[in-house]
Amino acid sequence: MHLAVFGGTFDPPHNGHLALCLYARELLEIDRILLSVSNNPFKQHRSASDEHRKRMAECLSLEINLTGSCSQVSGWELEKQQPSYTVDLLHYVRRLYPDDRVTLLVGEDSFREFPSWKDYEMLFSLCDIAVFRRASIEGGAPPPDSLLQNGSIEVIDFACEVSSTDIRELIAAGQSVSEFLPPRVNRYIREHDLYLHS
Ligand code: ATP
């Protein structure tokens, strides 16, 4: 089995996350996608609770599964109730799936932050890494060469310009965001009056 791990704060999940997962599934021939809802140590006052973020990730998972059941949500990082690190998540996944191929899916912005991640070099021996280009950061510093030379990394052209930050700001400004959100996530946000107050 080819398992993908896709971590995020999902505050909220958006069409960029959905498109990335669907694209990864087809391009990389992934059988299963684990959506891991991460702790958000830099939580802003406008952020949704852990419970809401997990429920919205489940909405995202349902949308992914509309075109073939493959994704599930993991609350493992949230349950730890302390800062979570991707390397710990990957060790956990490796223990669960010792014989399977594992690929970590990350956006380019996250990838550029790798050198500040705990034990990031260990990730290269735990999994393959698929990096999805993110148009909004074009023009910034490119990913460090030392990272790109690593054999387990594949950089994938991708352009779906949407971010959770933009969505939170648009909602707080009273603007429509339905075009940026999977329908179930949009419904959930409206039902629970999330992100209304700036
Ligand atoms: P925020 O705006 O709050 O920082 P975000 O939109 O980056 O949020 P996250 O939940 O932090 O969303 O993202 C989870 C993962 O998805 C990260 O690896 C991030 O780089 C990637 N990602 C999110 N949106 C995109 C996008 N539009 N294109 C490519 N990668 C993305």
Side-chain angles (χ1 to χ4, degrees):
M1 178 176 75
H2 187 183
L3 174 75
V5 175
F6 185 46
T9 47
F10 300 122
D11 191 18
H14 51 63
N15 282 341
H17 298 130
L18 177 62
L20 187 154
C21 287
L22 294 177
Y23 191 40
R25 184 178 72 185
E26 302 309 313
L27 191 72
L28 306 175
E29 299 183 342
I30 286 165
D31 303 299
R32 199 149 168 205
I33 302 177
L34 197 66
L35 301 172
S36 182
V37 186
S38 52
N39 268 315
N40 187 358
F42 309 110
K43 202 172 276 185
Q44 303 167 348
H45 60 282
R46 205 189 293 136
S47 300
S49 67
D50 290 354
E51 176 63 20
H52 280 316
R53 292 189 298 114
K54 183 155 182 265
R55 302 265 302 273
M56 289 190 285
E58 282 160 359
C59 293
L60 171 65
S61 179
L62 283 171
E63 300 273 352
I64 294 168
N65 291 344
L66 283 178
T67 49
S69 178
C70 78
S71 84
Q72 70 181 82
V73 172
S74 167
W76 184 80
E77 292 184 82
L78 291 181
E79 283 150 24
K80 285 174 61 173
Q81 292 291 325
Q82 52 183 300
S84 62
Y85 299 99
T86 302
V87 71
D88 299 330
L89 173 67
L90 264 297
H91 275 299
Y92 165 73
V93 169
R94 270 269 155 246
R95 279 197 297 277
L96 287 180
Y97 303 96
D99 301 322
D100 292 310
R101 179 175 173 201
V102 177
T103 298
L104 177 67
L105 311 178
V106 289
E108 191 178 355
D109 54 320
S110 303
F111 179 64
R112 289 182 188 207
E113 290 167 2
F114 257 36
S116 66
W117 289 15
K118 179 189 165 194
D119 297 337
Y120 75 96
E121 280 157 324
M122 199 175 281
L123 288 173
F124 304 140
S125 57
L126 287 167
C127 58
D128 293 332
I129 297 167
V131 181
F132 291 78
R133 293 260 183 226
R134 198 159 180 183
S136 61
I137 61 164
E138 218 164 89
D145 276 351
S146 54
L147 285 185
L148 285 174
Q149 278 156 14
N150 192 293
S152 61
I153 293 174
E154 182 175 358
V155 180
I156 294 168
D157 273 337
F158 186 71
C160 181
E161 212 21 68
V162 48
S163 76
S164 301
T165 303
D166 290 346
I167 290 166
R168 292 193 301 272
E169 287 174 0
L170 285 169
I171 295 174
Q175 298 192 29
S176 167
V177 287
S178 55
E179 69 196 278
F180 305 118
L181 293 170
R184 282 177 173 78
V185 175
N186 189 30
R187 220 163 27 239
Y188 187 93
I189 289 173
R190 283 193 283 119
E191 280 169 10
H192 295 85
D193 293 332
L194 300 183
Y195 309 116
L196 288 179
H197 307 292
S198 54

